[in-house]
Amino acid sequence: MKITPVLLAAGLGTRMKSNTPKILHPVCGQPMLAYALTAARSASTEKPVVVIGHGAGAVRDYLGDAARCVLQDPQLGTGHAVLQAESLLRGVSDLVLVTYADMPLLRPETLTRLVETQQQNPGPATILTVIAPDPRGFGRVVRGADGKVQAIVEEAAAAPEQLSIYELNVGAYCFQSDWLWDALHRIPVSKKGEYYLTDTVELAVRAGLPVQAIVTGDQAEIIGINTRIHLAEAEAAMRQRINAAHMLAGVTFIDPAATYVQAGVTIGRDTVIWPGTYLEGNTTIGEGCQIGPETVVRDSGIGNNCKVFKSVVEEAWVEEDVDMGPYAHLRKGARLCSGVHMGNFGEVKDSTLGPGTKMGHFSYIGNATIGREVNIGAGTITCNYDGVRKNPTEIGDGTFIGSDTMLVAPLKIGKRAQTGAGAVVTKDVPDDTLVVGVPARPIKKTSKE
Ligand code: UD1
Ligand code: CA
């Protein structure tokens, strides 16, 4: 059976007061449209159709070939929006799953249940409803004395006794495809000049065809976004959901309300996340780590048993048993091998620190390859930029870089070498050699172990 999702995303989103189309605003790091797509896809069998209008170019660019787009112009309501998919789907799809792209908290499981209910329904439609104390301007679900759904009445058109109905139309529907297209051509125009998708319900009931409803018990699911206040509500609800999933999978959060983990981040068990921590983008954290407080990890991998304390890690790779911070900064292309210790006020960019290397205080390491068990003294700087290009520095295993050494790249320092405090090293240093001074010169061989 072919089940095709249709996502409505043509509306302007005026109340966001934004230059960005509403559905591209991020919630926990991903555009709200991404969640709607994922949920719809998981409950269906065919590539989604997205109805676009305002900001069509940007939305199309974002979607790429994740969906087929149809343009709705002008925008004459949700019924008219769905009708734009008719030429693609009539006679092709068996069921059509319609959702709104501005409801990122709608769960895949709920949509699956909606589809499954419609598969059992001899009638043409199943809708998703919620019982909520605050009607939020939603359409009201009118049921007959027999409890069967009779209609959805929009708030603006509702009679006073209908306004006091607390069963609301969430905005997710599963239709028999063949029936839907004919029904959409028959819905009347509203007082506002729009064609309401919700009017299809009454059309079915009048024709004696049963409309089913399933009720969600999760109030967070129905958060739709019209303003930036709703956006913050959705962010908080999504954060709660993401953090709860990690906690159930064995991660400790000291204060989940103050811990910001974006969708898609993975965290190993027995890791502890302290407050004020942001785990963002394509990030993986291993098992048994201590992360935070006040730490940012973005697009990075951190191995098992690491401690990252009050630090910033961006596009970097950290192996196991690394301990860093406070105030360490890893930038793009930094790699800390296992057992590295990186203390306060260090910055590493486009560089590798080999296993067991220590960099305790106030250093900048850029475009460098540093071997194992190297000691990088306080205040060491790779002078990697000559004003035109970035130059590489290489440091061999077991070398000892004295405090406040300037390493003027391009530069190679051998194994087990040493630099004296304050040395400005402008020439390559052979293995087992001590250099001192400005500019640094060799004075003796270092002792071999
Ligand atoms: C709609 C429902 C209402 C439901 C509520 C839940 C209708 C008529 N009403 O009302 O019963 O309780 O959602 O949030 O459907 N859109 C288009 N083209 C259009 C108009 C809208 O693509 O011409 C898209 C919007 O971008 C949006 C979605 O459809 O993603 C819903 O439209 P909106 O105007 O927000 O409908 P509501 O008035 O909220
Ligand atoms: Ca809405």
Side-chain angles (χ1 to χ4, degrees):
M1 175 174 276
K2 285 190 174 172
I3 306 158
T4 311
V6 174
L7 271 68
L8 305 194
L12 179 56
T14 325
R15 287 184 285 160
M16 293 295 281
K17 309 245 165 87
S18 178
N19 298 328
T20 302
K22 176 170 83 172
I23 54 173
L24 294 184
H25 279 258
V27 173
C28 292
Q30 288 185 21
M32 56 182 99
L33 173 59
Y35 297 95
L37 261 185
T38 305
R41 225 191 263 128
S42 82
S44 60
T45 62
E46 308 302 304
K47 194 178 248 202
V49 176
V50 179
V51 181
I52 57 177
H54 286 280
V59 177
R60 223 188 265 273
D61 286 350
Y62 171 76
L63 286 167
D65 32 277
R68 292 175 288 172
C69 293
V70 292
L71 192 67
Q72 184 199 19
D73 182 26
Q75 281 102 37
L76 300 177
T78 49
H80 176 256
V82 176
L83 203 47
Q84 309 311 306
E86 179 184 15
S87 57
L88 283 181
L89 302 183
R90 187 190 261 273
V92 176
S93 196
D94 300 300
L95 294 181
V96 176
L97 171 65
V98 180
T99 59
Y100 303 154
D102 61 357
M103 306 186 75
L105 285 123
L106 215 47
R107 289 177 191 272
E109 305 81 38
T110 305
L111 295 184
T112 300
R113 194 154 63 91
L114 183 72
V115 169
E116 285 168 357
T117 306
Q118 177 54 30
Q119 283 170 326
Q120 305 300 318
N121 181 14
T126 301
I127 64 171
L128 175 64
T129 75
V130 65
I131 314 286
D134 170 10
R136 303 174 73 100
F138 278 24
R140 308 298 203 274
V141 177
V142 181
R143 290 185 188 255
D146 56 1
K148 294 206 170 113
V149 173
Q150 291 196 316
I152 297 170
V153 182
E154 292 306 301
E155 186 168 88
E161 70 276 13
Q162 291 173 328
L163 285 175
S164 62
I165 295 173
Y166 288 102
E167 184 173 13
L168 312 174
N169 173 39
V170 173
Y173 320 78
C174 189
F175 296 101
Q176 271 173 13
S177 180
D178 293 348
W179 180 86
L180 174 65
W181 309 118
D182 292 333
L184 288 174
H185 284 288
R186 284 188 288 125
I187 50 181
V189 65
S190 77
K191 283 204 184 97
K192 283 190 182 165
E194 293 193 359
Y195 297 88
Y196 292 154
L197 176 63
T198 44
D199 284 347
T200 55
V201 169
E202 205 174 338
L203 284 182
V205 173
R206 284 225 193 112
L209 305 170
V211 173
Q212 293 293 332
I214 63 162
V215 185
T216 171
D218 178 0
Q219 302 284 324
E221 273 198 302
I222 68 168
I223 299 174
I225 295 158
N226 297 317
T227 68
R228 296 200 198 224
I229 293 175
H230 301 150
L231 184 65
E233 261 177 53
E235 179 88 19
M238 188 67 81
R239 175 158 69 239
Q240 215 170 36
R241 192 184 278 181
I242 290 170
N243 291 355
H246 288 297
M247 289 187 277
L248 291 173
V251 180
T252 294
F253 283 64
I254 302 299
D255 183 0
T259 307
Y260 307 85
V261 180
Q262 292 188 344
V265 169
T266 65
I267 311 175
R269 61 198 290 167
D270 291 323
T271 283
V272 179
I273 314 284
W274 296 79
T277 292
Y278 299 75
L279 305 179
E280 303 182 343
N282 180 15
T283 286
T284 304
I285 310 280
E287 298 187 355
C289 295
Q290 297 279 334
I291 309 290
E294 282 120 47
T295 288
V296 178
V297 183
R298 179 178 306 129
D299 296 323
S300 296
I302 294 190
N304 296 337
N305 304 315
C306 289
K307 182 179 172 198
V308 184
F309 178 51
K310 292 205 182 195
S311 292
V312 176
V313 177
E314 302 169 285
E315 297 180 61
W317 183 253
V318 175
E319 295 181 355
E320 286 157 28
D321 304 306
V322 168
D323 126 62
M324 54 187 292
Y327 315 112
H329 188 189
L330 294 188
R331 292 169 54 206
K332 187 172 180 303
R335 181 183 185 99
L336 305 188
C337 296
S338 54
V340 162
H341 163 73
M342 183 173 166
N344 41 203
F345 305 106
E347 174 181 339
V348 176
K349 190 216 75 183
D350 270 325
S351 296
T352 298
L353 270 56
T357 284
K358 297 191 168 35
M359 169 175 157
H361 335 263
F362 311 104
S363 287
Y364 169 63
I365 300 295
N367 305 91
T369 308
I370 297 181
R372 55 172 61 231
E373 307 290 339
V374 172
N375 193 310
I376 300 168
T380 295
I381 305 288
T382 50
C383 310
N384 61 327
Y385 185 55
D386 57 15
V388 182
R389 65 178 78 80
K390 302 283 172 64
N391 299 299
T393 299
E394 249 181 67
I395 300 180
D397 298 345
T399 282
F400 183 99
I401 304 295
S403 294
D404 218 14
T405 295
M406 300 295 122
L407 301 163
V408 183
L411 189 68
K412 261 191 195 167
I413 297 189
K415 296 182 177 168
R416 301 169 303 274
Q418 286 184 23
T419 70
V424 176
V425 186
T426 56
K427 292 198 178 104
D428 292 355
V429 177
D431 293 352
D432 304 302
T433 303
L434 168 65
V435 298
V436 299
V438 181
R441 60 197 192 288
I443 55 167
K444 64 171 188 180
K445 286 293 189 186
T446 54
S447 59
K448 287 180 206 168
E449 277 163 34

